[in-house]
Amino acid sequence: MSAKNHYTNYTPVYLALDCIVFGFDNEKLKLLLIKRNFKPFKGSWSLMGGFLEPKESIDESARRILLSLTGLSDVFLEQLQVFGAVNRDTEARVVSSTYYALIKINDYDHDIVKANGAAWHEVGKIPQLIFDHNEIVETALNKLRRKCRTQPIGFELLPEKFTIPQLQNLYEAILDKTFDKRNFRKKLLSMNLLDKLEEKDRAGSKKGAFYYQFNRERYEVLSLQGFNFEL
Amino acid sequence: MSAKNHYTNYTPVYLALDCIVFGFDNEKLKLLLIKRNFKPFKGSWSLMGGFLEPKESIDESARRILLSLTGLSDVFLEQLQVFGAVNRDTEARVVSSTYYALIKINDYDHDIVKANGAAWHEVGKIPQLIFDHNEIVETALNKLRRKCRTQPIGFELLPEKFTIPQLQNLYEAILDKTFDKRNFRKKLLSMNLLDKLEEKDRAGSKKGAFYYQFNRERYEVLSLQGFNFEL
DNA sequence: CCAAAAGTGTTCATCGTACACCCATGT
DNA sequence: ACATGGGTGTACGATGAACACTTTTGG
């Protein structure tokens, strides 16, 4: 054993953090991808990634990377999976801990994003990505689809104020199916988690649709009492 | 940049694989823990862990470690989470990728397990573990509890042939609640996933209870048709 | 013959689903 | 006035929950 630590018999690895960034433009579910700006495969489409720094936890690292590439902090960000096939990276042994982010599509910093050569892609039309990133995207999509039906995470993709038809469009886009609008509205409102505002959104129609707000505090109280969000 | 690869600016880390091993003894849900046999904290209770080797994927690594400590291969083993706080290990920067295993408690190799100083602990009575392992166990338990209600993973903890009362005991132990036995039986049998055998288990009662078998092929077919296991 | 666990059916409330028309307003 | 999307209620079937007695058999 070395003087340094008891683990020197083992081989360390590079730990990458890769973020799958979802956004919703009121029509389609989209993914933010960048043109990789370092070797190897500089210029290829890729997830937003970086490497762990010694003095940050992996969560902090993922947030740092997301902030540096989009200007966003204070975002829904959750671990997806670790990808650790032996030759997934061509340069060195790199294990990737992946995170998926749900962002409000109008909040990110367009300049930073453009400077990084990033662009939104419909989830149905993802280009070829480097390494195993296409597989990672598939995994993230599956996770999002499962999770959005049992946890109120969809709201992370919408502005603070949103209309019921907007919300329905979102779920239809994520799950790639349609809902009956009467049943959808009834279901969501019956959970008692949406606060109706006075104000209307007049962008979508002449009549205008009332804005609602998700009440997170009420959700947390109800959760503790055994309530389960379910779509 | 070095001649070796493009990532040499980054600091590699040790990647540990830790396994949370669940078992069921027809009464309680249990966890297999070992007395750690290397420094630091040699002799403390710990999850079953080891370090990634260069030529194995992380999944292979987890299976190797589980095999070496229990003699078991061909086991339900699934990724849980990565734990990557900066100082979670006291020796070096170690990021742990964790896996939970569901094993048939009579299949493992008692000699190997004993030689490794391992022992079963009720999930309600877990001793103090090294590093953040208690937190990892909590996370695993939550995952198991959520997952066993929507996927037929409970069967991984039972022998091939089991009775309905055994199955009910299992779910009651995992979820720490009781079910009405008529409703439980009706629910499970209505899914059409259990094949009734001729044979009876006479251990549990004078009357004896019929054995059943989980039909995985049928589950997979039904799954593709949109069926969802739900307890 | 009795203790102990296995096995069985019905009722009721709740929830998901299917379905069609009126409303408000900008042009 | 009309086109466009927003908003509403009801009826039916399916599903989950509550509940008590009979069966089998080893001792």
Side-chain angles (χ1 to χ4, degrees), chain A residues 5-8 10-14 36 39-40 51-54 56-58 79 81-82 84 86 89 91-94 97, chain B residues 5-8 10-14 36 39-40 51-58 79 81-82 84 86 89 91-94 97:
Chain A
N5 70 53
H6 292 93
Y7 302 153
T8 47
Y10 303 105
T11 311
V13 298
Y14 292 104
R36 180 162 156 123
K39 291 192 172 184
F51 288 90
L52 183 70
E53 302 280 352
E56 63 189 3
S57 73
I58 54 167
Q79 259 194 49
Q81 276 215 331
V82 193
V86 176
D89 190 307
E91 285 291 296
R93 182 70 196 268
V94 179
S97 176
Chain B
N5 69 53
H6 293 93
Y7 302 154
T8 46
Y10 304 105
T11 311
V13 299
Y14 292 104
R36 181 163 155 122
K39 289 193 173 184
F51 289 89
L52 183 69
E53 301 280 352
K55 65 282 172 197
E56 64 190 2
S57 73
I58 53 168
Q79 258 194 48
Q81 275 214 330
V82 194
V86 177
D89 191 307
E91 285 292 296
R93 182 69 196 270
V94 179
S97 176

Short mmCIF file of all heavy atoms in Angstrom, two decimals, chain A residues 5-8 10-14 36 39-40 51-54 56-58 79 81-82 84 86 89 91-94 97, chain B residues 5-8 10-14 36 39-40 51-58 79 81-82 84 86 89 91-94 97:
data_model
loop_
_atom_site.label_atom_id
_atom_site.label_comp_id
_atom_site.label_asym_id
_atom_site.label_seq_id
_atom_site.Cartn_x
_atom_site.Cartn_y
_atom_site.Cartn_z
N ASN A 5 -2.99 6.61 -0.05
CA ASN A 5 -4.28 6.11 0.45
C ASN A 5 -4.35 4.61 0.27
O ASN A 5 -3.46 4.01 -0.34
CB ASN A 5 -5.45 6.83 -0.23
CG ASN A 5 -5.59 6.45 -1.69
OD1 ASN A 5 -5.66 5.27 -2.01
ND2 ASN A 5 -5.61 7.44 -2.57
N HIS A 6 -5.40 4.01 0.77
CA HIS A 6 -5.50 2.55 0.72
C HIS A 6 -6.03 2.03 -0.60
O HIS A 6 -6.22 0.83 -0.76
CB HIS A 6 -6.41 2.07 1.85
CG HIS A 6 -5.81 2.28 3.21
ND1 HIS A 6 -6.07 3.41 3.95
CD2 HIS A 6 -4.98 1.53 3.95
CE1 HIS A 6 -5.44 3.34 5.10
NE2 HIS A 6 -4.75 2.21 5.14
N TYR A 7 -6.34 2.90 -1.53
CA TYR A 7 -7.01 2.45 -2.74
C TYR A 7 -6.10 2.43 -3.96
O TYR A 7 -6.57 2.26 -5.07
CB TYR A 7 -8.21 3.36 -3.05
CG TYR A 7 -9.24 3.43 -1.95
CD1 TYR A 7 -10.04 4.57 -1.83
CD2 TYR A 7 -9.45 2.39 -1.05
CE1 TYR A 7 -11.01 4.66 -0.84
CE2 TYR A 7 -10.40 2.47 -0.06
CZ TYR A 7 -11.18 3.61 0.05
OH TYR A 7 -12.12 3.71 1.02
N THR A 8 -4.81 2.62 -3.75
CA THR A 8 -3.94 2.82 -4.91
C THR A 8 -3.77 1.58 -5.76
O THR A 8 -3.20 1.64 -6.84
CB THR A 8 -2.56 3.35 -4.48
OG1 THR A 8 -2.11 2.56 -3.38
CG2 THR A 8 -2.66 4.79 -4.06
N TYR A 10 -6.23 0.33 -7.12
CA TYR A 10 -7.32 0.41 -8.09
C TYR A 10 -7.05 1.50 -9.11
O TYR A 10 -6.26 2.41 -8.90
CB TYR A 10 -8.64 0.66 -7.37
CG TYR A 10 -8.91 -0.41 -6.34
CD1 TYR A 10 -8.75 -0.17 -4.98
CD2 TYR A 10 -9.28 -1.69 -6.75
CE1 TYR A 10 -8.96 -1.17 -4.05
CE2 TYR A 10 -9.49 -2.70 -5.84
CZ TYR A 10 -9.32 -2.43 -4.49
OH TYR A 10 -9.54 -3.43 -3.59
N THR A 11 -7.71 1.36 -10.24
CA THR A 11 -7.48 2.28 -11.36
C THR A 11 -8.58 3.33 -11.39
O THR A 11 -9.75 2.99 -11.57
CB THR A 11 -7.53 1.50 -12.69
OG1 THR A 11 -6.69 0.36 -12.57
CG2 THR A 11 -7.08 2.38 -13.83
N PRO A 12 -8.22 4.57 -11.24
CA PRO A 12 -9.27 5.59 -11.29
C PRO A 12 -9.76 5.81 -12.72
O PRO A 12 -9.10 5.41 -13.68
CB PRO A 12 -8.58 6.84 -10.74
CG PRO A 12 -7.13 6.60 -10.92
CD PRO A 12 -6.90 5.13 -10.94
N VAL A 13 -10.91 6.44 -12.83
CA VAL A 13 -11.50 6.70 -14.16
C VAL A 13 -11.89 8.17 -14.24
O VAL A 13 -12.03 8.84 -13.22
CB VAL A 13 -12.77 5.85 -14.40
CG1 VAL A 13 -12.44 4.37 -14.37
CG2 VAL A 13 -13.85 6.17 -13.37
N TYR A 14 -12.07 8.64 -15.46
CA TYR A 14 -12.62 9.98 -15.64
C TYR A 14 -14.13 9.91 -15.44
O TYR A 14 -14.78 9.02 -15.98
CB TYR A 14 -12.31 10.52 -17.03
CG TYR A 14 -10.84 10.80 -17.22
CD1 TYR A 14 -10.04 9.94 -17.96
CD2 TYR A 14 -10.25 11.93 -16.67
CE1 TYR A 14 -8.68 10.18 -18.13
CE2 TYR A 14 -8.90 12.18 -16.83
CZ TYR A 14 -8.12 11.30 -17.56
OH TYR A 14 -6.79 11.55 -17.73
N ARG A 36 -20.10 19.83 -29.95
CA ARG A 36 -19.00 19.62 -29.02
C ARG A 36 -17.81 20.50 -29.40
O ARG A 36 -17.38 20.49 -30.55
CB ARG A 36 -18.64 18.14 -29.08
CG ARG A 36 -17.53 17.70 -28.19
CD ARG A 36 -17.61 16.19 -28.03
NE ARG A 36 -16.35 15.59 -27.69
CZ ARG A 36 -16.16 14.84 -26.59
NH1 ARG A 36 -17.17 14.63 -25.77
NH2 ARG A 36 -15.00 14.29 -26.35
N LYS A 39 -11.92 18.11 -28.38
CA LYS A 39 -11.61 16.83 -29.00
C LYS A 39 -11.83 15.69 -28.04
O LYS A 39 -11.74 15.89 -26.84
CB LYS A 39 -10.15 16.83 -29.47
CG LYS A 39 -9.91 17.77 -30.63
CD LYS A 39 -8.54 17.49 -31.21
CE LYS A 39 -8.34 18.26 -32.50
NZ LYS A 39 -7.06 17.93 -33.13
N PRO A 40 -12.07 14.50 -28.48
CA PRO A 40 -12.26 14.13 -29.89
C PRO A 40 -13.69 14.44 -30.36
O PRO A 40 -14.55 14.74 -29.55
CB PRO A 40 -12.03 12.63 -29.87
CG PRO A 40 -12.49 12.21 -28.52
CD PRO A 40 -12.17 13.34 -27.60
N PHE A 51 -16.55 17.44 -17.14
CA PHE A 51 -15.93 16.47 -16.23
C PHE A 51 -15.99 16.96 -14.79
O PHE A 51 -16.00 18.17 -14.53
CB PHE A 51 -14.48 16.22 -16.64
CG PHE A 51 -14.37 15.42 -17.89
CD1 PHE A 51 -14.33 16.05 -19.13
CD2 PHE A 51 -14.34 14.04 -17.85
CE1 PHE A 51 -14.24 15.31 -20.30
CE2 PHE A 51 -14.25 13.29 -19.01
CZ PHE A 51 -14.20 13.93 -20.24
N LEU A 52 -16.04 16.01 -13.91
CA LEU A 52 -16.09 16.31 -12.47
C LEU A 52 -14.80 17.01 -12.03
O LEU A 52 -13.71 16.58 -12.37
CB LEU A 52 -16.25 15.01 -11.70
CG LEU A 52 -16.39 15.13 -10.18
CD1 LEU A 52 -17.73 15.75 -9.83
CD2 LEU A 52 -16.27 13.76 -9.51
N GLU A 53 -14.96 18.06 -11.25
CA GLU A 53 -13.82 18.74 -10.64
C GLU A 53 -13.65 18.23 -9.21
O GLU A 53 -14.63 17.84 -8.57
CB GLU A 53 -14.06 20.25 -10.60
CG GLU A 53 -14.31 20.90 -11.95
CD GLU A 53 -13.02 21.16 -12.72
OE1 GLU A 53 -11.94 20.97 -12.12
OE2 GLU A 53 -13.10 21.53 -13.90
N PRO A 54 -12.43 18.27 -8.72
CA PRO A 54 -12.16 17.64 -7.42
C PRO A 54 -13.02 18.19 -6.27
O PRO A 54 -13.40 17.44 -5.38
CB PRO A 54 -10.68 17.96 -7.18
CG PRO A 54 -10.10 18.14 -8.54
CD PRO A 54 -11.19 18.76 -9.36
N GLU A 56 -16.07 19.51 -6.14
CA GLU A 56 -17.53 19.62 -6.28
C GLU A 56 -18.16 18.23 -6.23
O GLU A 56 -17.57 17.24 -6.68
CB GLU A 56 -17.90 20.33 -7.59
CG GLU A 56 -17.47 19.58 -8.83
CD GLU A 56 -17.64 20.36 -10.14
OE1 GLU A 56 -18.06 21.53 -10.08
OE2 GLU A 56 -17.36 19.78 -11.18
N SER A 57 -19.36 18.15 -5.67
CA SER A 57 -20.11 16.90 -5.70
C SER A 57 -20.62 16.70 -7.13
O SER A 57 -20.61 17.63 -7.94
CB SER A 57 -21.30 16.97 -4.75
OG SER A 57 -22.29 17.82 -5.27
N ILE A 58 -21.08 15.50 -7.41
CA ILE A 58 -21.54 15.27 -8.79
C ILE A 58 -22.77 16.12 -9.11
O ILE A 58 -22.92 16.58 -10.23
CB ILE A 58 -21.80 13.78 -9.08
CG1 ILE A 58 -22.76 13.18 -8.07
CG2 ILE A 58 -20.51 13.01 -9.12
CD1 ILE A 58 -23.27 11.82 -8.50
N GLN A 79 -30.82 12.96 -11.34
CA GLN A 79 -29.99 11.88 -11.87
C GLN A 79 -30.80 10.95 -12.74
O GLN A 79 -31.92 10.59 -12.39
CB GLN A 79 -29.41 11.06 -10.73
CG GLN A 79 -27.98 11.37 -10.41
CD GLN A 79 -27.38 10.31 -9.51
OE1 GLN A 79 -27.49 9.12 -9.78
NE2 GLN A 79 -26.76 10.77 -8.45
N GLN A 81 -28.96 7.99 -14.90
CA GLN A 81 -28.28 6.70 -14.81
C GLN A 81 -26.80 6.91 -15.00
O GLN A 81 -26.38 7.93 -15.53
CB GLN A 81 -28.72 5.80 -15.96
CG GLN A 81 -29.98 5.06 -15.71
CD GLN A 81 -29.92 3.70 -16.37
OE1 GLN A 81 -29.26 3.48 -17.37
NE2 GLN A 81 -30.60 2.75 -15.78
N VAL A 82 -26.05 5.89 -14.67
CA VAL A 82 -24.64 5.89 -15.00
C VAL A 82 -24.46 5.04 -16.24
O VAL A 82 -25.06 3.97 -16.35
CB VAL A 82 -23.80 5.27 -13.89
CG1 VAL A 82 -22.33 5.58 -14.14
CG2 VAL A 82 -24.23 5.76 -12.55
N GLY A 84 -21.50 3.11 -18.23
CA GLY A 84 -20.13 2.73 -17.93
C GLY A 84 -19.61 1.57 -18.75
O GLY A 84 -18.81 0.78 -18.25
N VAL A 86 -17.20 -0.29 -21.29
CA VAL A 86 -15.75 -0.11 -21.27
C VAL A 86 -15.27 0.88 -22.33
O VAL A 86 -14.48 1.78 -22.04
CB VAL A 86 -15.04 -1.46 -21.47
CG1 VAL A 86 -13.54 -1.25 -21.54
CG2 VAL A 86 -15.39 -2.41 -20.34
N ASP A 89 -16.31 5.75 -24.50
CA ASP A 89 -15.54 6.90 -24.99
C ASP A 89 -14.31 6.34 -25.68
O ASP A 89 -13.76 5.33 -25.25
CB ASP A 89 -15.15 7.81 -23.82
CG ASP A 89 -14.57 9.13 -24.27
OD1 ASP A 89 -13.61 9.13 -25.06
OD2 ASP A 89 -15.07 10.18 -23.81
N GLU A 91 -11.38 7.82 -26.14
CA GLU A 91 -10.10 8.39 -25.72
C GLU A 91 -9.53 7.74 -24.47
O GLU A 91 -8.33 7.60 -24.32
CB GLU A 91 -10.29 9.87 -25.39
CG GLU A 91 -10.43 10.74 -26.59
CD GLU A 91 -9.15 10.83 -27.38
OE1 GLU A 91 -8.16 11.36 -26.83
OE2 GLU A 91 -9.13 10.35 -28.53
N ALA A 92 -10.41 7.48 -23.54
CA ALA A 92 -9.96 7.03 -22.24
C ALA A 92 -11.14 6.34 -21.57
O ALA A 92 -12.25 6.35 -22.09
CB ALA A 92 -9.52 8.22 -21.39
N ARG A 93 -10.90 5.73 -20.44
CA ARG A 93 -12.01 5.13 -19.71
C ARG A 93 -12.79 6.24 -19.03
O ARG A 93 -12.34 6.83 -18.05
CB ARG A 93 -11.50 4.14 -18.66
CG ARG A 93 -12.63 3.43 -17.89
CD ARG A 93 -13.36 2.47 -18.81
NE ARG A 93 -14.65 2.01 -18.31
CZ ARG A 93 -14.84 0.93 -17.59
NH1 ARG A 93 -13.84 0.17 -17.21
NH2 ARG A 93 -16.06 0.57 -17.22
N VAL A 94 -13.97 6.50 -19.58
CA VAL A 94 -14.82 7.56 -19.03
C VAL A 94 -16.15 6.96 -18.63
O VAL A 94 -16.81 6.32 -19.44
CB VAL A 94 -15.07 8.67 -20.07
CG1 VAL A 94 -15.97 9.74 -19.46
CG2 VAL A 94 -13.75 9.27 -20.53
N SER A 97 -21.99 9.95 -15.59
CA SER A 97 -23.16 10.05 -14.73
C SER A 97 -24.08 11.07 -15.39
O SER A 97 -23.67 12.20 -15.64
CB SER A 97 -22.70 10.52 -13.35
OG SER A 97 -23.81 10.72 -12.53
N ASN B 5 -4.10 11.35 -23.96
CA ASN B 5 -5.47 11.57 -24.39
C ASN B 5 -5.84 13.03 -24.18
O ASN B 5 -5.08 13.80 -23.63
CB ASN B 5 -6.43 10.62 -23.65
CG ASN B 5 -6.58 10.96 -22.17
OD1 ASN B 5 -6.88 12.10 -21.82
ND2 ASN B 5 -6.35 9.99 -21.30
N HIS B 6 -7.02 13.40 -24.62
CA HIS B 6 -7.42 14.81 -24.56
C HIS B 6 -7.98 15.20 -23.21
O HIS B 6 -8.41 16.33 -23.03
CB HIS B 6 -8.47 15.08 -25.63
CG HIS B 6 -7.92 14.97 -27.03
ND1 HIS B 6 -7.99 13.82 -27.75
CD2 HIS B 6 -7.28 15.89 -27.80
CE1 HIS B 6 -7.44 14.01 -28.94
NE2 HIS B 6 -7.00 15.25 -29.00
N TYR B 7 -8.06 14.29 -22.28
CA TYR B 7 -8.75 14.58 -21.04
C TYR B 7 -7.80 14.80 -19.87
O TYR B 7 -8.23 14.87 -18.72
CB TYR B 7 -9.71 13.44 -20.67
CG TYR B 7 -10.74 13.14 -21.73
CD1 TYR B 7 -11.30 11.85 -21.80
CD2 TYR B 7 -11.19 14.11 -22.61
CE1 TYR B 7 -12.26 11.56 -22.75
CE2 TYR B 7 -12.15 13.82 -23.57
CZ TYR B 7 -12.68 12.54 -23.64
OH TYR B 7 -13.63 12.24 -24.56
N THR B 8 -6.52 14.90 -20.14
CA THR B 8 -5.57 14.88 -19.02
C THR B 8 -5.64 16.14 -18.16
O THR B 8 -5.01 16.19 -17.11
CB THR B 8 -4.13 14.67 -19.52
OG1 THR B 8 -3.91 15.53 -20.63
CG2 THR B 8 -3.93 13.22 -19.93
N TYR B 10 -8.23 16.83 -16.66
CA TYR B 10 -9.22 16.51 -15.64
C TYR B 10 -8.69 15.51 -14.63
O TYR B 10 -7.74 14.78 -14.90
CB TYR B 10 -10.50 15.97 -16.31
CG TYR B 10 -11.04 16.96 -17.32
CD1 TYR B 10 -10.89 16.74 -18.69
CD2 TYR B 10 -11.66 18.13 -16.89
CE1 TYR B 10 -11.37 17.67 -19.61
CE2 TYR B 10 -12.12 19.07 -17.80
CZ TYR B 10 -11.97 18.83 -19.15
OH TYR B 10 -12.43 19.75 -20.05
N THR B 11 -9.31 15.50 -13.49
CA THR B 11 -8.84 14.67 -12.40
C THR B 11 -9.69 13.40 -12.31
O THR B 11 -10.89 13.48 -12.08
CB THR B 11 -8.99 15.42 -11.07
OG1 THR B 11 -8.43 16.72 -11.22
CG2 THR B 11 -8.31 14.66 -9.94
N PRO B 12 -9.08 12.26 -12.50
CA PRO B 12 -9.88 11.04 -12.40
C PRO B 12 -10.25 10.74 -10.95
O PRO B 12 -9.66 11.28 -10.02
CB PRO B 12 -8.96 9.97 -12.97
CG PRO B 12 -7.59 10.50 -12.85
CD PRO B 12 -7.68 12.00 -12.86
N VAL B 13 -11.23 9.87 -10.78
CA VAL B 13 -11.69 9.49 -9.44
C VAL B 13 -11.75 7.97 -9.34
O VAL B 13 -11.79 7.28 -10.35
CB VAL B 13 -13.09 10.06 -9.15
CG1 VAL B 13 -13.09 11.57 -9.21
CG2 VAL B 13 -14.12 9.49 -10.13
N TYR B 14 -11.79 7.48 -8.14
CA TYR B 14 -12.03 6.05 -7.93
C TYR B 14 -13.52 5.80 -8.05
O TYR B 14 -14.32 6.53 -7.47
CB TYR B 14 -11.54 5.61 -6.56
CG TYR B 14 -10.04 5.66 -6.43
CD1 TYR B 14 -9.40 6.68 -5.72
CD2 TYR B 14 -9.25 4.68 -7.03
CE1 TYR B 14 -8.02 6.73 -5.61
CE2 TYR B 14 -7.86 4.72 -6.93
CZ TYR B 14 -7.25 5.74 -6.22
OH TYR B 14 -5.90 5.78 -6.12
N ARG B 36 -16.55 -5.10 6.66
CA ARG B 36 -15.57 -4.66 5.67
C ARG B 36 -14.20 -5.25 5.99
O ARG B 36 -13.73 -5.14 7.12
CB ARG B 36 -15.54 -3.14 5.72
CG ARG B 36 -14.61 -2.48 4.76
CD ARG B 36 -15.00 -1.01 4.65
NE ARG B 36 -13.92 -0.17 4.24
CZ ARG B 36 -13.94 0.60 3.15
NH1 ARG B 36 -15.01 0.60 2.38
NH2 ARG B 36 -12.93 1.37 2.85
N LYS B 39 -9.01 -1.67 4.72
CA LYS B 39 -8.97 -0.35 5.35
C LYS B 39 -9.48 0.71 4.41
O LYS B 39 -9.43 0.53 3.21
CB LYS B 39 -7.51 -0.03 5.73
CG LYS B 39 -7.02 -0.87 6.86
CD LYS B 39 -5.72 -0.27 7.38
CE LYS B 39 -5.28 -1.00 8.65
NZ LYS B 39 -4.08 -0.39 9.23
N PRO B 40 -9.93 1.83 4.87
CA PRO B 40 -10.13 2.15 6.27
C PRO B 40 -11.44 1.54 6.81
O PRO B 40 -12.24 1.06 6.03
CB PRO B 40 -10.23 3.67 6.26
CG PRO B 40 -10.82 3.99 4.92
CD PRO B 40 -10.33 2.92 3.98
N PHE B 51 -14.18 -2.05 -6.27
CA PHE B 51 -13.82 -0.99 -7.21
C PHE B 51 -13.84 -1.49 -8.64
O PHE B 51 -13.58 -2.67 -8.90
CB PHE B 51 -12.44 -0.43 -6.86
CG PHE B 51 -12.45 0.38 -5.60
CD1 PHE B 51 -12.23 -0.22 -4.36
CD2 PHE B 51 -12.71 1.74 -5.65
CE1 PHE B 51 -12.25 0.53 -3.19
CE2 PHE B 51 -12.73 2.50 -4.48
CZ PHE B 51 -12.51 1.89 -3.25
N LEU B 52 -14.15 -0.57 -9.52
CA LEU B 52 -14.19 -0.88 -10.95
C LEU B 52 -12.80 -1.29 -11.45
O LEU B 52 -11.81 -0.64 -11.14
CB LEU B 52 -14.65 0.36 -11.72
CG LEU B 52 -14.83 0.20 -13.22
CD1 LEU B 52 -16.01 -0.70 -13.52
CD2 LEU B 52 -15.02 1.56 -13.90
N GLU B 53 -12.77 -2.36 -12.23
CA GLU B 53 -11.54 -2.77 -12.89
C GLU B 53 -11.54 -2.25 -14.33
O GLU B 53 -12.62 -2.08 -14.93
CB GLU B 53 -11.45 -4.30 -12.93
CG GLU B 53 -11.48 -4.98 -11.58
CD GLU B 53 -10.13 -4.94 -10.86
OE1 GLU B 53 -9.14 -4.52 -11.50
OE2 GLU B 53 -10.08 -5.33 -9.68
N PRO B 54 -10.37 -2.03 -14.88
CA PRO B 54 -10.31 -1.38 -16.20
C PRO B 54 -11.07 -2.10 -17.31
O PRO B 54 -11.65 -1.46 -18.17
CB PRO B 54 -8.81 -1.34 -16.50
CG PRO B 54 -8.15 -1.39 -15.17
CD PRO B 54 -9.03 -2.22 -14.30
N LYS B 55 -11.09 -3.42 -17.27
CA LYS B 55 -11.65 -4.11 -18.44
C LYS B 55 -13.08 -4.60 -18.24
O LYS B 55 -13.53 -5.51 -18.93
CB LYS B 55 -10.73 -5.25 -18.88
CG LYS B 55 -10.59 -6.38 -17.89
CD LYS B 55 -9.65 -6.03 -16.76
CE LYS B 55 -9.65 -7.08 -15.66
NZ LYS B 55 -9.04 -6.52 -14.41
N GLU B 56 -13.77 -4.04 -17.29
CA GLU B 56 -15.16 -4.45 -17.09
C GLU B 56 -16.07 -3.23 -17.12
O GLU B 56 -15.68 -2.16 -16.68
CB GLU B 56 -15.31 -5.22 -15.77
CG GLU B 56 -15.01 -4.39 -14.54
CD GLU B 56 -14.93 -5.18 -13.24
OE1 GLU B 56 -15.06 -6.42 -13.27
OE2 GLU B 56 -14.75 -4.54 -12.19
N SER B 57 -17.29 -3.43 -17.62
CA SER B 57 -18.29 -2.37 -17.54
C SER B 57 -18.76 -2.27 -16.09
O SER B 57 -18.53 -3.16 -15.29
CB SER B 57 -19.47 -2.70 -18.45
OG SER B 57 -20.24 -3.73 -17.88
N ILE B 58 -19.47 -1.20 -15.78
CA ILE B 58 -19.90 -1.06 -14.38
C ILE B 58 -20.90 -2.15 -14.01
O ILE B 58 -20.89 -2.64 -12.87
CB ILE B 58 -20.47 0.34 -14.09
CG1 ILE B 58 -21.58 0.72 -15.05
CG2 ILE B 58 -19.38 1.38 -14.11
CD1 ILE B 58 -22.34 1.95 -14.60
N GLN B 79 -29.33 -0.79 -11.41
CA GLN B 79 -28.74 0.44 -10.91
C GLN B 79 -29.68 1.18 -10.00
O GLN B 79 -30.87 1.30 -10.28
CB GLN B 79 -28.40 1.36 -12.07
CG GLN B 79 -26.97 1.36 -12.46
CD GLN B 79 -26.63 2.52 -13.37
OE1 GLN B 79 -26.99 3.65 -13.11
NE2 GLN B 79 -25.96 2.20 -14.44
N GLN B 81 -28.41 4.48 -7.88
CA GLN B 81 -28.03 5.88 -8.00
C GLN B 81 -26.52 5.99 -7.89
O GLN B 81 -25.87 5.09 -7.40
CB GLN B 81 -28.61 6.68 -6.84
CG GLN B 81 -30.00 7.14 -7.03
CD GLN B 81 -30.22 8.47 -6.37
OE1 GLN B 81 -29.58 8.81 -5.38
NE2 GLN B 81 -31.11 9.24 -6.92
N VAL B 82 -26.03 7.15 -8.25
CA VAL B 82 -24.64 7.46 -7.98
C VAL B 82 -24.59 8.33 -6.75
O VAL B 82 -25.41 9.24 -6.60
CB VAL B 82 -24.00 8.26 -9.12
CG1 VAL B 82 -22.50 8.26 -8.95
CG2 VAL B 82 -24.39 7.69 -10.45
N GLY B 84 -22.04 10.86 -4.90
CA GLY B 84 -20.80 11.53 -5.26
C GLY B 84 -20.50 12.77 -4.45
O GLY B 84 -19.93 13.72 -4.98
N VAL B 86 -18.43 15.11 -2.03
CA VAL B 86 -16.98 15.27 -2.11
C VAL B 86 -16.25 14.40 -1.08
O VAL B 86 -15.30 13.72 -1.40
CB VAL B 86 -16.58 16.75 -1.93
CG1 VAL B 86 -15.06 16.89 -1.94
CG2 VAL B 86 -17.19 17.60 -3.02
N ASP B 89 -16.12 9.43 1.11
CA ASP B 89 -15.11 8.49 1.57
C ASP B 89 -14.00 9.31 2.21
O ASP B 89 -13.71 10.41 1.76
CB ASP B 89 -14.57 7.70 0.37
CG ASP B 89 -13.71 6.52 0.79
OD1 ASP B 89 -12.75 6.72 1.58
OD2 ASP B 89 -13.96 5.39 0.34
N GLU B 91 -10.80 8.51 2.51
CA GLU B 91 -9.45 8.23 2.04
C GLU B 91 -9.08 8.96 0.78
O GLU B 91 -7.94 9.36 0.58
CB GLU B 91 -9.32 6.73 1.72
CG GLU B 91 -9.22 5.85 2.91
CD GLU B 91 -7.93 6.07 3.65
OE1 GLU B 91 -6.87 5.80 3.07
OE2 GLU B 91 -7.98 6.52 4.82
N ALA B 92 -10.05 9.04 -0.12
CA ALA B 92 -9.76 9.56 -1.44
C ALA B 92 -11.09 9.98 -2.05
O ALA B 92 -12.14 9.74 -1.47
CB ALA B 92 -9.11 8.49 -2.31
N ARG B 93 -11.04 10.61 -3.18
CA ARG B 93 -12.27 10.95 -3.85
C ARG B 93 -12.83 9.70 -4.50
O ARG B 93 -12.29 9.20 -5.50
CB ARG B 93 -12.04 12.02 -4.92
CG ARG B 93 -13.32 12.46 -5.63
CD ARG B 93 -14.21 13.25 -4.67
NE ARG B 93 -15.57 13.41 -5.11
CZ ARG B 93 -16.04 14.41 -5.85
NH1 ARG B 93 -15.23 15.34 -6.28
NH2 ARG B 93 -17.31 14.47 -6.16
N VAL B 94 -13.90 9.19 -3.92
CA VAL B 94 -14.52 7.98 -4.43
C VAL B 94 -15.97 8.28 -4.76
O VAL B 94 -16.73 8.75 -3.92
CB VAL B 94 -14.49 6.84 -3.39
CG1 VAL B 94 -15.17 5.60 -3.96
CG2 VAL B 94 -13.07 6.53 -2.97
N SER B 97 -21.17 4.07 -7.54
CA SER B 97 -22.33 3.72 -8.35
C SER B 97 -22.98 2.53 -7.65
O SER B 97 -22.34 1.51 -7.43
CB SER B 97 -21.85 3.35 -9.74
OG SER B 97 -22.92 2.90 -10.54
#
